[in-house]
Each structure stands twice: as structure tokens, then as C-alpha cells.
């Protein structure tokens, strides 16, 4: 029987990144300075934190300004491509119809921010499905797999052979599972604090 990466071990602790105290809602922010970087500033999400790459010569005030700008830019990009709860429920309906014969009918489907050890969860008795906000920004086929996984739990509560047979219909199951396993493995790697060049 396959190992279930959705409900497996808790995420490991990371070394403490540099917090951006004025933006607690942004989560942890790590600023990486580079002597080779002359003018450009860039940022990306890495798990639960945001990494901002800046030139080493920047002052602390410039750093704070650029971190704020880059957080705003990332948030704007993510809000454009992230489906809300209503879109997530519609997506669940399409997936249920396409891969489960329309038999899985959740009462609610929503994003949650308090799920840090699971990608998704389901309460069959209530018909509720919750997806971790950590999935936001991952490829659509990965989000679809997690959503389909939780939809299948509405029909089969455990992870026995009958459950896995339901997921065989989704052609990207193995690819999505590999992606999620890679994310979990990357989180286990040590994250060294960025060197600052003065």
C-alpha cells in the first residue's frame, strides 16, 4: 500500500529566518544579500517564508522599503492566481464529476491557515474539506490531487486498497505525490542563515 504524503510526518523546524516585524501577516522573511547583485531585487516563496534577494550595498532603510514592495508584489500576484473558497468548491465539484462519478459531494471546501502538518483534511460526517494555505502557489495538478484525495475520503474514510483505487483514475496522482514528497524533503534540509556582506 502506498505511503500517504498528505497525512505524514510533521514539518521540521527551520533555522530562524529574519523576521519582518512590521508585516506579521507576511510570515517569516529572509533577506539574502549578494555582492554580485548590483541593482535588481527579487523575491519568492520558499515553504512558509519569503526570500528577498537584494544587493549587498543596500542600507537597512532601503532593505526595509524593498522588502515591503516585494511582499506587496508577491501578494498581488498570488491573489490573481489563487482561487477563493467558492472557486475551490466549484473545482471540487468538477473533479468529483470527472473522476468519482459525482458521488463525492462536500458541504464545504475551504482554505485554512492552521494546517501545518497536513496538505488537506476531511471530516466525512460533516462533509467538510479543508486545504492548507501552503498549497497556494503550487501547480494546479498538485492542488487538484490533494482536493481529489480529500473528496475520495468522503467515499472511503481510510487509506486502504479501495481508497487508492478511487485515485487511480486521476492521471497525475504519482506526479503530484512526488511533488509533495519533494517539498517535504526540501523542508528537512538545513537552512543556513544568509551571510551578510558589509
Amino acid at each position: 500500500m502506498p505511503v500517504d504524503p498528505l497525512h505524514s510526518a510533521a514539518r521540521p523546524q527551520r533555522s530562524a529566518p529574519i523576521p519582518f516585524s512590521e508585516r506579521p501577516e507576511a510570515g517569516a522573511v529572509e533577506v539574502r544579500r549578494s555582492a554580485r547583485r548590483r541593482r535588481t531585487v527579487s523575491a519568492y516563496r520558499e515553504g512558509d517564508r519569503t526570500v528577498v534577494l537584494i544587493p549587498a550595498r543596500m542600507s537597512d532603510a532601503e532593505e526595509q522599503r524593498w522588502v515591503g514592495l516585494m511582499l506587496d508584489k508577491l501578494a498581488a500576484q498570488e491573489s490573481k492566481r489563487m482561487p477563493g473558497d467558492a472557486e475551490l468548491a466549484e473545482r471540487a465539484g468538477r473533479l468529483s464529476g470527472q473522476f468519482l462519478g459525482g458521488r463525492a459531494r462536500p458541504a464545504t471546501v475551504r482554505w485554512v491557515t492552521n494546517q501545518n502538518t497536513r496538505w488537506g483534511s476531511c471530516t466525512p460526517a460533516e462533509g467538510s474539506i479543508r486545504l492548507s494555505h501552503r498549497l497556494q502557489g503550487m501547480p494546479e495538478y498538485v492542488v487538484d490531487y490533494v482536493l481529489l484525495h480529500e473528496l475520495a475520503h468522503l467515499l472511503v474514510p481510510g487509506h486502504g486498497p479501495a481508497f487508492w483505487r478511487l485515485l487511480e483514475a486521476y492521471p497525475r496522482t504519482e506526479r503530484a505525490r512526488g511533488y509533495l514528497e519533494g517539498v517535504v524533503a526540501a523542508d528537512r534540509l538545513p537552512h543556513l542563515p544568509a551571510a551578510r556582506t558589509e
Side-chain angles (χ1 to χ4, degrees):
M1 180 178 349
V3 175
D4 180 15
L6 296 183
H7 303 138
S8 58
R11 292 166 60 93
Q13 295 297 317
R14 296 177 155 171
S15 60
I18 300 168
F20 185 59
S21 58
E22 296 173 22
R23 289 273 185 98
E25 77 281 1
V29 176
E30 177 182 337
V31 176
R32 296 181 186 168
R33 291 177 174 260
S34 169
R36 291 186 304 191
R37 187 175 283 268
R38 296 288 177 220
R39 284 181 270 170
T40 61
V41 176
S42 62
Y44 60 92
R45 303 285 192 211
E46 186 176 83
D48 293 336
R49 66 181 168 176
T50 303
V51 177
V52 181
L53 307 170
I54 65 171
R57 62 174 174 71
M58 270 192 186
S59 68
D60 287 344
E62 288 176 307
E63 174 184 311
Q64 289 297 308
R65 184 175 73 82
W66 275 105
V67 166
L69 288 171
M70 297 312 287
L71 288 173
D72 288 344
K73 184 177 178 179
L74 283 174
Q77 289 171 349
E78 289 167 350
S79 68
K80 286 180 187 173
R81 67 175 184 250
M82 293 307 138
D85 290 350
E87 292 87 356
L88 205 56
E90 288 175 23
R91 197 169 179 173
R94 284 193 307 272
L95 288 168
S96 176
Q98 187 175 358
F99 298 105
L100 301 172
R103 294 179 297 141
R105 295 188 183 110
T108 60
V109 182
R110 61 192 174 95
W111 295 107
V112 294
T113 57
N114 63 350
Q115 242 173 211
N116 293 316
T117 61
R118 293 179 173 198
W119 297 113
S121 62
C122 172
T123 307
E126 297 172 4
S128 63
I129 291 175
R130 295 159 304 281
L131 296 190
S132 172
H133 72 287
R134 296 181 298 132
L135 289 164
Q136 294 177 335
M138 289 188 186
E140 284 189 15
Y141 73 90
V142 175
V143 177
D144 283 351
Y145 166 71
V146 176
L147 193 48
L148 191 59
H149 183 109
E150 300 309 332
L151 285 165
H153 278 308
L154 292 175
L155 305 175
V156 179
H159 290 106
F163 173 83
W164 293 109
R165 276 194 297 277
L166 289 175
L167 292 180
E168 286 174 0
Y170 184 60
R172 293 186 163 187
T173 292
E174 288 307 313
R175 184 175 179 193
R177 287 167 52 84
Y179 185 98
L180 294 171
E181 288 168 0
V183 170
V184 170
D187 283 344
R188 291 186 179 129
L189 295 173
H191 292 277
L192 302 175
R196 293 182 66 144
T197 311
E198 298 298 327

